[in-house]
Amino acid sequence: MEKRAGNPAPALKDQSIWAEAVRGVTPLRGRLAATPLPPLPAVPPPDAGSSLAPAHPPPIERFAGIDRANAERLKRGLHPIEARLDLHGRTQAEAHRELVDFIETSYRGGRRCVLVITGRGLGPDGPGVLKSAVPRWLSEAGVRRRILAVAAAQPRHGGAGALYLLLRRQR
């Protein structure tokens, strides 16, 4: 397995949050106090162009509104796919607009399971722009209210370069 160089900033943030959380805690009798982790190297401040992407994109798999059986069916690609959106070759602005329109149209059309193809976009700088942006866009308030669950697609439907969306029923 290839090890990728990660951004140490999130780990540094987590470390400071943990230190704050356990600041007033005393160890149990007979136990030694935990030794602090070694400090992480300093991270240069992000440039102006990177302010568009948060440090942690939202998790891809979200199943808060469905039962375990439906979540498993979605993850395994067993729900019939009623519509597909392929975002290959789109700019971020075009892809965002098309994604929002596609979800709204699918929702209004009564579709339940749709497939969004972002492409893997693997390059020397990590995952592709759209692959990273789509999960963030799915978390936007206007879009999120239409989506019940999200899962990475099975290889036969695009694998790491695609997402299943289970849409809410229209009320």
Side-chain angles (χ1 to χ4, degrees):
M1 178 186 280
E2 179 185 337
K3 185 175 180 181
R4 291 187 182 168
N7 181 356
L12 183 60
K13 181 180 176 190
D14 291 344
Q15 198 174 25
S16 64
I17 292 171
W18 177 253
E20 178 66 25
V22 298
R23 183 174 35 157
V25 176
T26 56
L28 295 172
R29 279 190 308 259
R31 299 221 180 163
L32 297 174
T35 57
L37 296 172
L40 294 170
V43 178
D47 61 336
S50 68
S51 63
L52 299 174
H56 292 291
I60 289 185
E61 294 185 342
R62 296 186 310 231
F63 307 109
I66 60 175
D67 59 40
R68 181 178 291 164
N70 263 325
E72 285 301 315
R73 289 190 65 208
L74 185 65
K75 285 195 290 190
R76 293 180 181 169
L78 300 177
H79 280 281
I81 296 171
E82 299 174 57
R84 287 175 168 75
L85 173 66
D86 189 343
L87 298 174
H88 280 104
R90 307 291 194 283
T91 65
Q92 269 191 317
E94 291 170 342
H96 184 255
R97 186 173 43 256
E98 285 186 39
L99 178 67
V100 171
D101 291 346
F102 173 72
I103 291 171
E104 188 62 30
T105 302
S106 296
Y107 172 79
R108 292 200 185 280
R111 295 184 186 104
R112 290 283 286 160
C113 184
V114 298
L115 182 70
V116 175
I117 303 164
T118 62
R120 291 177 52 170
L122 294 177
D125 299 330
V129 174
L130 295 181
K131 181 174 173 48
S132 299
V134 166
R136 284 194 322 269
W137 297 339
L138 295 176
S139 295
E140 293 173 354
V143 176
R144 184 178 52 221
R145 71 175 190 259
R146 303 290 191 216
I147 300 172
L148 194 56
V150 178
Q154 290 291 311
R156 68 183 179 276
H157 294 131
L163 296 171
Y164 299 124
L165 307 182
L166 189 62
L167 303 180
R168 295 183 184 278
R169 294 186 197 277
Q170 215 172 1
R171 300 270 174 197

